[in-house]
Amino acid sequence: MEARAIQRGVRQSARKMRLVIDLIRGQAVPEADAILRFSKKRAARQIHKVLKSAVANAQQAAQRDNAAFDADSLRVTYAVVNEGQTLKRFTAAAMGRGTPILKRTSHVEIRVAGVDAPVAPAPTPKPAAAQAAAKAEKKPRAKAKKRAPAKKKRKTTKKASK
């Protein structure tokens, strides 16, 4: 069983919200709930609302299917913050000019699923042996020709004439 919740047009930049959403991705719902509740970031409050909504949607889906439901067995399988519409405003500046203000918004999407559902794996770095083999496959660069050293210029001084 999987459920999702989306909140669109959150009045905070996606870059700031991604700092918080990265903390809960792949976590169990009770643990993610605790992380968000005690976080000092303003984004945590909005993300917490979306997480609660996703859990409530999962509960409703379980009731509809007449299945057993345990909120503690859910995991955050997918959590992403995308950029929303940017509100463009202007403020007064020196010499009668106006400077733009970009008020950024974001869209939050969270999916929760039971423990048996697979969690999207994080990309793994290549092993050191594979990286060494990849370096060995690259062709060596042609050596640049050596130039002769530049001749030194003599300093000439002008003699003052009287």
Side-chain angles (χ1 to χ4, degrees):
M1 160 189 46
E2 182 175 275
R4 72 176 185 156
I6 300 173
Q7 185 180 15
R8 298 188 186 278
V10 179
R11 276 289 295 119
Q12 191 168 16
S13 71
R15 185 175 179 178
K16 292 176 187 175
M17 295 194 73
R18 284 185 191 122
L19 295 173
V20 178
I21 205 93
D22 290 342
L23 297 173
I24 66 163
R25 192 176 291 122
Q27 300 288 334
V29 167
E31 191 175 331
D33 183 50
I35 291 169
L36 293 173
R37 203 174 320 144
F38 296 110
S39 176
K40 291 183 179 181
K41 299 272 188 186
R42 179 175 163 249
R45 190 169 190 165
Q46 294 296 327
I47 294 170
H48 188 252
K49 287 181 182 180
V50 180
L51 180 64
K52 281 176 38 179
S53 178
V55 171
N57 291 344
Q59 183 179 6
Q60 290 296 314
Q63 280 183 347
R64 201 175 13 223
D65 298 339
N66 201 16
F69 177 76
D70 182 20
D72 294 340
S73 67
L74 294 176
R75 272 191 127 34
V76 178
T77 57
Y78 181 82
V80 70
V81 176
N82 295 319
E83 288 185 20
Q85 184 179 15
T86 301
L87 306 174
K88 294 172 177 108
R89 304 289 185 259
F90 287 91
T91 187
M95 294 187 279
R97 294 191 189 116
T99 57
I101 296 175
L102 301 178
K103 296 187 175 192
R104 300 184 187 275
T105 63
S106 54
H107 304 317
V108 182
E109 181 178 357
I110 294 179
R111 292 184 195 159
V112 294
V115 177
D116 54 343
V119 176
T124 57
K126 291 182 180 178
Q131 288 178 350
K135 284 184 180 179
E137 290 178 12
K138 291 183 181 177
K139 295 180 182 178
R141 293 183 185 174
K143 293 184 180 179
K145 294 180 182 177
K146 290 188 177 180
R147 292 186 184 179
K151 293 182 180 178
K152 293 183 180 179
K153 293 183 181 179
R154 288 186 177 176
K155 290 186 179 179
T156 57
T157 58
K158 293 184 181 179
K159 294 182 181 179
S161 58
K162 294 183 180 179

